[in-house]
Amino acid sequence: AAGVDLGELGAQEEDLRRVVLDLQGLDFLDPAGLSCLGGWLAFLDGLQDEGLAPTTVRYLEAQTWQRTFVHRMQQAHATLRCEAVD
């Protein structure tokens, strides 16, 4: 993830202030997808030193995989903001 250029994302570095990741529409994500998502969260966590606000993850409390993933990511990234939706 360290090789990612914000221009590739369609954003200018000075425009990127906050990222909200909404998992609510995902019924399933395989292990490779979860690993990729975890990598992006680590990448975004590293940008906080440059002024990016902590990442927010919205997830469905009733989706076991989402709840488990978010709680594990919160343990690894203490500043991760989590918003459970019932």
Side-chain angles (χ1 to χ4, degrees):
V4 173
D5 178 5
L6 292 176
E8 294 174 15
L9 300 175
Q12 298 296 320
E13 187 171 354
E14 60 273 5
D15 293 339
L16 191 58
R17 296 285 176 238
R18 180 172 180 245
V19 175
V20 178
L21 177 63
D22 192 337
L23 302 177
Q24 296 177 72
L26 291 175
D27 291 327
F28 174 79
L29 200 57
D30 68 13
L34 291 171
S35 178
C36 181
L37 196 54
W40 271 104
L41 289 173
F43 172 74
L44 293 169
D45 192 41
L47 292 178
Q48 290 180 28
D49 292 339
E50 299 175 26
L52 183 68
T55 302
T56 300
V57 178
R58 290 187 185 130
Y59 68 99
L60 293 173
E61 184 69 31
Q63 279 279 14
T64 303
W65 77 266
Q66 288 184 17
R67 183 178 62 246
T68 302
F69 174 77
V70 169
H71 289 169
R72 286 185 181 160
M73 288 298 101
Q74 195 170 35
Q75 290 173 346
H77 308 285
T79 61
L80 185 66
R81 296 177 180 167
C82 302
E83 295 179 1
V85 179
D86 294 330

